[in-house]
Each structure stands twice: as C-alpha cells, then as structure tokens.
Amino acid sequence: MKKQTSFSTKGNRTNLGPLSINRMLPNRYASKVGPFVFLDYIAPAVKEIINKNGMGAHPHRGIATLTYILQGEEEHFDSAGNYAKIHSGGVQWMKAGTGIVHDGNLNYDPETNSKIIQGFQFWINLPAKNKAEKPAHLAIQASEVPQKALPNESGWIKVIVGNYEELSSKIPNYSEQFLLHIHLEAGKQFSISLNDKIEAAAFLTTQNVILNDAEFEAGEFVEFSRKAGEIEIKNTAQTTVDVLLFGGEEYTEPVIAEGPFVMNSKKEIVLAYEDFYNGKYGEIKNKKGKA
C-alpha cells in the first residue's frame, strides 16, 4: 500500500545577497519530521564574490547541524577548533551538544568550472541524553558519501544520513533516521517501503516529480502519513530529477526551540542563553585551517 500525502508546501523565501534561501521546515503545517526540526534550501544561484571571513558566527545547543552541498564549496570553523572545507556533493555535520559557536563561508567550487551554489542545511534534534555530550564534527567529501546505482539503469541513490540496504552513512544515528538523495533518469522510478510510525518527507529540487501517483512541483516539500507503506517516485520528464527523502522515528520528548537552541524545556533554553553570554561556548580562533 502506498503512503498517503499529508500536505505539501513551498515554504518561505528570503534573499541573502545573490542567494535565495527557502525555509522549508518548520512550516505552517509541521514543526518536525522525525528528528529533523529545520531545513533551509539554497536554490541554484550564481555567486561571484568570495567570502573569506565568515557569514556570521552564532551559537547552537541541543542539535546537530548538517550541510549538504550539491554545488559549491562550504568552509566550516567553530569554537571547538574544528576546521574543514567540503566541495560539491560533500557533507558537514556538527554536533552542538552542550554548546558551540560556529561560522563558515559558502562559495563557488574552485574544483569545477561552475560558479553555481546549491545546497541544504538541516538541524537534527538530539535526544535529551545526547544534548549533554561534548561537541563533535565530521567533514565528508563527495567521494566518501555512500552511493550505489539503482536497478535497470534507473539512476543512483546516496545515503547522507542513516542506512539503505548495504549502505551506511558515517554520521552517527542517535535515533532511527534517514536522509537519502535519489537521482532518477528520464522515464524511471524508485520505490521504498517504510515501517509504521516512521515520519517521512520529500523535497523536490528543480524538477516536477510524481510521488505516489500525484504530481508535485519543483521546490515543494511533501510530507507523508505515518502509517506503514510505500513511497514511489516516478520521473515522467525528459530530463533527470533529484529528490531528497528524509525522516525517521517520532521524537517523543518535549521540543522547545528558540533561536539557535533546541532543548526539552524552557528552563534549558534560558540556561543555554546564559551559558552563551557567559562565554562558556568558547570562541572561534581557527578560520584558516591553522591553530
């Protein structure tokens, strides 16, 4: 049986210089999908100017941030001393844990001939016990992202978070979670079955796609019902299509989100701000890859 669609939305758009940022989650229908509580989509755009000094340092607590760059280069630095650059197809994951300050640069990829930037930033809510852990960071280059060809020359699938068949992401799983990038050739399809009570949503990048026999437009965020069932993706276009499918088990602990912090109570939010203003998250000292 195919899963029913709960809703679809195109989110809210904000311009940041030449970049168009689409806030897909939270939205007016949902505040989370499994452990995912935030999704910004950077639509394809040409960026000529190179940032070198960061885009604005800010704190986080209680979550893990995940940046997936389809096109471009993303540079990361934080108050725990982590520094890394990823290029087109790469992933930056940062567990804020008890608190961290981070910043970065988003530029075109010097390894390609394109000045196009396109990508995603997710926030993954941590279980209460993991919110008290030390910060951590992973930089995963495109060649390290698990990937396999789909049957019948249909395309390919990448596992950004979680598992699919024999593929497993390097990113830690603190609950059942998945983030898959499905690339389908013209006239092909892909199906996946999900268990009962698993929350799931799809995001369509730059092409219209058929999801469970209904057509949705490029730029739409589509959430599905929680009942067990199948999600079928069909590409009826004459070009390739890309779909992100993500979700996981329901986050059942209280969720209190304010600014850059996601905690389990209002008291914890107040403490997160107090600790930040008291300098307990440290400061960024490493912006060039050197101590």
Side-chain angles (χ1 to χ4, degrees), residues 48-276:
E48 300 278 357
I49 298 174
I50 298 291
N51 291 94
K52 294 183 178 181
N53 297 316
M55 301 176 69
H58 56 279
H60 286 295
R61 191 178 209 169
I63 60 170
T65 64
L66 184 146
T67 303
Y68 177 37
I69 295 296
L70 297 184
Q71 301 180 80
E73 175 189 84
E74 203 260 348
E75 184 177 26
H76 169 93
F77 27 89
D78 63 43
S79 58
N82 299 304
Y83 175 89
K85 279 185 181 180
I86 58 167
H87 302 277
S88 301
V91 181
Q92 298 260 25
W93 174 86
M94 182 190 74
K95 180 175 71 174
T98 54
I100 198 168
V101 177
H102 78 134
D103 199 353
N105 294 311
L106 184 59
N107 297 309
Y108 63 79
D109 190 347
E111 296 185 354
T112 69
N113 293 323
S114 172
K115 291 190 175 181
I116 299 291
I117 291 176
Q118 181 187 15
F120 303 86
Q121 184 173 74
F122 292 86
W123 292 2
I124 303 172
N125 198 8
L126 298 173
K129 63 181 181 180
N130 301 111
K131 292 180 186 291
E133 295 175 348
K134 293 181 179 180
H137 173 263
L138 286 173
I140 303 170
Q141 301 299 339
S143 60
E144 302 173 297
V145 176
Q147 177 178 340
K148 67 182 292 185
L150 296 175
N152 304 316
E153 299 182 342
S154 297
W156 48 255
I157 184 169
K158 290 183 179 181
V159 179
I160 312 302
V161 173
N163 308 286
Y164 176 77
E165 295 183 347
E166 76 277 14
L167 303 180
S168 295
S169 169
K170 292 182 178 181
I171 293 171
N173 294 314
Y174 298 106
S175 62
E176 185 174 352
Q177 58 180 6
F178 60 91
L179 170 54
L180 309 174
H181 179 175
I182 298 117
H183 177 86
L184 288 180
E185 298 293 332
K188 300 295 185 176
Q189 65 183 57
F190 167 83
S191 296
I192 185 171
S193 294
L194 299 177
N195 295 329
D196 195 33
K197 297 182 181 179
I198 294 297
E199 301 178 350
F203 180 76
L204 316 185
T205 57
T206 57
Q207 308 92 353
N208 290 11
V209 174
I210 306 293
L211 298 175
N212 287 354
D213 304 318
E215 183 173 9
F216 294 91
E217 296 180 349
E220 279 199 88
F221 172 104
V222 183
E223 188 175 65
F224 299 91
S225 73
R226 297 180 185 179
K227 293 183 179 180
E230 182 182 62
I231 296 176
E232 180 187 70
I233 305 170
K234 286 184 179 179
N235 178 11
T236 58
Q238 300 301 310
T239 61
T240 59
V241 300
D242 291 273
V243 177
L244 261 65
L245 188 66
F246 64 96
E249 64 181 292
E250 181 184 4
Y251 189 95
T252 57
E253 296 172 323
V255 179
I256 308 296
E258 187 173 312
F261 307 124
V262 182
M263 303 303 294
N264 301 115
S265 70
K266 183 65 177 179
K267 182 178 180 180
E268 290 175 337
I269 292 287
V270 171
L271 182 60
Y273 276 106
E274 288 180 351
D275 286 350
F276 169 61

